[in-house]
Amino acid sequence: MTAGEAVSAMLGQLQPTETVDRLQLVDVWLVDPLTGREGPADLTIENGILSRLSWLEAAGRDLSDARLLLLPGLIDLGAHLGPELEQLETPASATEAASHGGYTSLVGAVSLQALGMEWPHQPLSAGEGEAAEGIAAAVLGLRGVPAEAEAEAVARALYELRDRAAESGPADVAPLHLANLSTSAAAELVAAARAEGLPVSCDVTAQHICMHDGWLGGDRRFSWEAAGSPWSGGPAEAEPYHPATRLDPPLRSAAEAVSLAAAVTSSAVQAISTGHRPRDEAAVALPYGEVPPGISSIETCLPLVLAAVDAGVLPMMTAVRALTSGPAAIAELPSPAVHEGARANLVLVDRGAEWLVDGHSLRSHGRNTPLLGRSLRGRVLLTLAQGTVAWLDEEVAQARREESSVRR
Amino acid sequence: MSRLGQRPPDWAGQHLLDVTDLSAGAIELILERAEVARERVSTGSLPLDDLRGRRLALLFVEPSTRTRLSFEIAARNLSGDVVHVDVPTSSMVKGESIPDTVRTLHALGVETIVMRHPRSGAPWLAANYFPGHMLNAGDGWHAHPSQALLDLFTLRRAFGEHGLRGRKVAVVGDILHSRVCRSNLWTLTGAGAEVWLCGPRALLQGFEAWAKAMPADRRFNVTDDLDAALRDADAVMALRIQRERMDEALAGSLGEYVSRYRISEERLGLARPAAPVLHPGPVNEGIEVTGELAAGPRSLVLEQVRNGVPVRMAILSLVAGRE
């Protein structure tokens, strides 16, 4: 039986949007961020509940043998699905895009504020800048913002937090979450403040780890591939000035992106978020300096993180924590549970399978991504949200239909 | 029908957005054809027919006199039908988008657009919505391909058959905001010149890192020391200073700029004897260079203007001519 047939045999009975009656997942590579255990496992889900979990003998197997990866449903802190997007995205397209990305829980900016957390996007904003100060800004003639500006803004926010904590005691001060940091220097400041006992956390986006300022010029290498030989302005794989390379904060140098990954590994950063900001074509058909920043990224975040794992830039357990238990703790959500008796919030990924990022595969109506037209490894086959099938890969569903018609 | 030449089937592309799109061979072809065009212009054997029956729009969303005139004369010398998009009165200032504007021009039968825009990268956006040929006549701080090609043409003529290989060229002034500098950097290093970029520290942001990242055969030097840049230089290219930008970047110290970076006969004594001085124009006399130098025998400023027409004729015939 091929891997595809095995998957089809496992998932063939499922119907989208229905609660799972009975599903057996056989010999999948399970990563449980709470216990810190990963390895081959068999699982049974009945009536939407994880009814049986048995870890298998690993017997010298490691992650590299594991084709099917089973993770807790991903949790995002950074998706922007506010009212300004209503004309582009519908609740249905937003939900489908999230499920396709492996997400079972979105904590929007609005609900974070409701939790009493600060959303310091403004102080960290690039302001007048069009790009990070550095080679790409110099080559492309864009107004650069220095990396130090972010660390300075974070230092100011931490200074105020320290003040408030001194007045009311660290236990009573509202926690501070610093979203979408893009420099390891800023992340290290947060780590130092946490070590003091201050209630502060931070996240980074997958694009700030995997992409870099060379992407503005059309370089499409991942940051770990470009760190030793940054793009210097010659002809590149893609056209320069792709509007979805304009982010806030801006994409930084490849070396900075790699050190940001190291900050996740060292736990200076607690979460990886999507920074998903879908926009329609007309909204970004402007000269680069006038483009509103943003990238449609909720469906590509997990494949990008897995690419970083494959490259050895992030350990698998660290990456999964940053996508699940890390954001859950920040948003004060229940931790994602992978144990018998728990409601199934799971995502099954075919690590080896590539998929083409295009208008057909993306469920978000926002097609604003420089990954459009590129194949990514790591395909979400199934997303179970609260025991219900939120995403089922079309090809798997199709294969099963063909199989059953042959049998008939 | 008399033509400058055909558009070769393997020509570098539909548009000319940046000099980095041009191979060494493509640049050579432009310069050779510009020699022929220059000869035709000087003998008055005009017009040619390369653009006969072709409509070309000059879309200048930023004021320009010499580049716009130079493109217009070049197109007319090739019998092109030139239309102007008069931006201050056009719908672009009423908020019409770049995609709408270029689609409209296409619907009006325009096959080629020569575009000048104050924002870096704008011609790439325009090209994505225009089925014809897009020529970048300067985008923001980023690129000015036809200027770099005419500067290269001018320097090659000045240096004779050995060309630019191993020659030291000092580019002096507002490096950060200069599209002329960025495009010249590629064409000059591509021709084998040793390029020195020189200006106040605040106007060199990112360039030192860029220089280090360049492949070994295109390395260039970055300095805020004018003497180091001028010493033994074979040619000096002064860049235009825009007062508003200088005020912003240098906190208003234009006087200090002049005392440190203005090129005079005296300072030019550091360069090789008879090293020519170039400037993309218009010259702010007494600021970038002394008036005496700009009008003197070492100045190639008017030669640059003169060469602009044949170089743009060559470009138009190659990019927008018939196969």
Side-chain angles (χ1 to χ4, degrees):
Chain A
M1 197 156 63
T2 68
E5 283 164 350
V7 168
S8 161
M10 280 196 281
L11 306 184
Q13 309 299 337
L14 299 176
Q15 295 294 329
T17 76
E18 286 189 359
T19 303
V20 177
D21 289 342
R22 186 177 165 78
L23 170 66
Q24 276 194 294
L25 296 171
V26 181
D27 195 18
V28 295
W29 189 271
L30 175 64
V31 183
D32 180 1
L34 280 194
T35 60
R37 184 168 183 183
E38 63 175 305
D42 288 348
L43 299 92
T44 307
I45 293 143
E46 288 173 294
N47 301 316
I49 308 284
L50 177 56
S51 58
R52 196 179 62 86
L53 162 60
S54 50
W55 293 94
L56 305 176
E57 197 54 53
R61 291 159 66 189
D62 65 21
L63 184 62
S64 58
D65 305 319
R67 169 135 194 189
L68 292 177
L69 197 61
L70 188 69
L71 314 175
L74 312 185
I75 298 170
D76 187 33
L77 296 174
H80 296 262
L81 300 163
E84 80 270 22
L85 297 172
E86 271 169 11
Q87 300 200 326
L88 171 66
E89 204 84 278
T90 63
S93 71
T95 308
E96 215 185 344
S99 304
H100 180 214
Y103 284 86
T104 55
S105 188
L106 300 183
V107 185
V110 176
S111 49
L112 257 190
Q113 276 163 354
L115 281 168
M117 293 179 150
E118 287 188 35
W119 202 252
H121 217 72
Q122 285 315 314
L124 297 185
S125 133
E128 288 283 284
E130 298 167 318
E133 191 179 296
I135 298 171
V139 172
L140 295 168
L142 297 172
R143 199 180 289 265
V145 271
E148 299 79 53
E150 181 174 280
E152 283 162 17
V154 167
R156 273 196 304 274
L158 292 174
Y159 184 81
E160 286 166 18
L161 181 68
R162 215 169 264 127
D163 253 13
R164 287 201 300 277
E167 275 169 31
S168 57
D172 294 323
V173 73
L176 174 68
H177 179 69
L178 297 156
N180 298 7
L181 296 189
S182 63
T183 61
S184 56
E188 293 307 331
L189 290 175
V190 174
R194 282 170 70 86
E196 285 172 40
L198 287 172
V200 60
S201 56
C202 66
D203 70 67
V204 301
T205 73
Q207 48 272 18
H208 285 96
I209 291 175
C210 299
M211 303 177 184
H212 51 88
D213 61 358
W215 283 59
L216 278 65
D219 188 0
R220 290 292 179 265
R221 293 173 297 168
F222 287 129
S223 52
W224 46 90
E225 298 164 333
S229 58
W231 177 74
S232 63
E237 291 131 87
E239 277 184 18
Y241 301 106
H242 191 292
T245 60
R246 177 136 202 231
L247 304 181
D248 184 12
L251 290 172
R252 310 230 181 239
S253 71
E256 181 67 74
V258 170
S259 66
L260 200 60
V264 177
T265 306
S266 74
S267 300
V269 174
Q270 294 76 48
I272 297 174
S273 58
T274 65
H276 181 56
R277 228 177 223 278
R279 298 198 187 273
D280 72 1
E281 192 192 331
V284 296
L286 294 167
Y288 196 83
E290 293 164 22
V291 168
I295 175 172
S296 177
S297 52
I298 201 162
E299 292 164 89
T300 55
C301 181
L302 179 58
L304 288 186
V305 170
L306 290 176
V309 170
D310 285 344
V313 170
L314 281 176
M316 178 63 95
M317 185 59 72
T318 305
V320 173
R321 282 188 171 137
L323 292 166
T324 58
S325 54
I330 292 164
E332 298 175 20
L333 295 172
S335 277
V338 189
H339 59 73
E340 290 178 0
R343 278 227 159 260
N345 280 304
L346 294 166
V347 51
L348 183 68
V349 186
D350 188 339
R351 278 185 80 206
E354 293 205 339
W355 61 284
L356 179 66
V357 182
D358 64 7
H360 175 72
S361 61
L362 288 183
R363 295 310 158 105
S364 169
H365 292 168
R367 307 282 153 73
N368 52 314
T369 167
L371 296 167
L372 212 67
R374 175 165 175 159
S375 285
L376 294 179
R377 253 160 63 91
R379 182 172 182 139
V380 173
L381 299 178
L382 173 72
T383 304
L384 296 178
Q386 294 296 318
T388 300
V389 179
W391 175 261
L392 181 61
D393 184 85
E394 258 178 21
E395 274 181 31
V396 171
Q398 182 67 26
R400 183 62 189 186
R401 277 196 292 277
E402 281 163 12
E403 204 176 303
S404 52
S405 68
V406 170
R407 279 189 194 153
R408 216 176 286 131
Chain B
M1 294 272 276
S2 176
R3 285 206 263 165
L4 207 49
Q6 289 173 313
R7 174 189 161 90
D10 61 346
W11 176 249
Q14 183 184 348
H15 312 297
L16 178 56
L17 301 178
D18 200 347
V19 284
T20 54
D21 300 337
L22 299 172
S23 65
I27 290 175
E28 201 52 47
L29 191 54
I30 291 171
L31 299 183
E32 281 168 15
R33 197 170 280 197
E35 256 333 318
V36 178
R38 193 183 140 106
E39 183 62 25
R40 298 295 291 244
V41 172
S42 64
T43 57
S45 329
L46 293 169
L48 293 157
D49 299 302
D50 295 73
L51 295 184
R52 185 167 298 285
R54 304 224 139 178
R55 186 162 296 157
L56 176 141
L58 299 173
L59 175 60
F60 276 62
V61 190
E62 187 183 74
S64 156
T65 305
R66 58 186 70 200
T67 303
R68 189 168 53 82
L69 266 177
S70 181
F71 263 114
E72 176 165 5
I73 293 165
R76 291 195 193 286
N77 285 350
L78 300 174
S79 306
D81 171 16
V82 180
V83 297
H84 291 266
V85 184
D86 196 0
V87 168
T89 60
S90 85
S91 48
M92 265 189 114
V93 283
K94 296 177 208 145
E96 185 179 85
S97 71
I98 286 177
D100 287 345
T101 302
V102 300
R103 282 191 195 119
T104 301
L105 289 173
H106 183 247
L108 290 167
V110 169
E111 289 162 288
T112 302
I113 296 176
V114 177
M115 182 179 189
R116 159 74 59 94
H117 198 283
R119 288 283 191 182
S120 297
W124 276 261
L125 171 69
N128 281 333
Y129 293 88
F130 186 64
H133 305 287
M134 183 68 60
L135 278 85
N136 183 3
D139 64 316
W141 308 348
H142 175 236
H144 196 344
S146 63
Q147 179 73 41
L149 290 163
L150 78 87
D151 290 341
L152 183 64
F153 182 77
T154 304
L155 282 170
R156 282 236 308 213
R157 288 182 61 87
F159 288 140
E161 58 176 317
H162 298 298
L164 278 145
R165 188 148 302 277
R167 304 268 190 182
K168 177 174 175 179
V169 181
V171 181
V172 181
D174 183 356
I175 303 293
L176 182 67
H177 302 107
S178 177
R179 55 189 170 223
V180 173
C181 168
R182 284 179 178 80
S183 286
N184 264 293
L185 186 56
W186 285 104
T187 47
L188 293 175
T189 56
E194 178 194 332
V195 177
W196 287 65
L197 305 184
C198 176
R201 206 108 294 272
L203 300 177
L204 295 172
Q205 208 181 76
F207 279 77
E208 273 170 344
W210 182 7
K212 287 193 193 108
M214 272 291 202
D217 60 345
R218 281 188 186 266
R219 289 273 156 81
F220 57 90
N221 303 281
V222 179
T223 180
D224 64 350
D225 176 359
L226 182 63
D227 289 352
L230 292 183
R231 192 164 293 120
D232 298 325
D234 293 289
V236 179
M237 187 179 289
L239 301 171
R240 182 172 161 77
I241 294 292
Q242 291 194 5
R243 281 164 191 267
E244 323 81 72
R245 283 180 183 158
M246 294 304 282
D247 288 347
E248 191 187 320
L250 301 177
S253 53
L254 190 62
E256 196 194 324
Y257 176 85
V258 168
S259 70
R260 285 192 63 192
Y261 294 101
R262 184 180 60 183
I263 298 166
S264 59
E265 286 283 4
E266 188 194 347
R267 303 199 77 162
L268 206 55
L270 286 167
R272 291 200 185 272
V277 176
L278 292 85
H279 189 294
V283 179
N284 291 307
E285 280 186 18
I287 294 180
E288 300 108 1
V289 294
T290 57
E292 173 196 26
L293 197 58
R298 294 170 80 165
S299 168
L300 287 179
V301 174
L302 287 176
E303 183 68 1
Q304 286 171 279
V305 176
R306 202 170 292 122
N307 288 336
V309 170
V311 168
R312 290 183 171 107
M313 286 169 70
I315 292 170
L316 286 169
S317 74
L318 283 162
V319 179
R322 292 182 203 282
E323 284 195 359

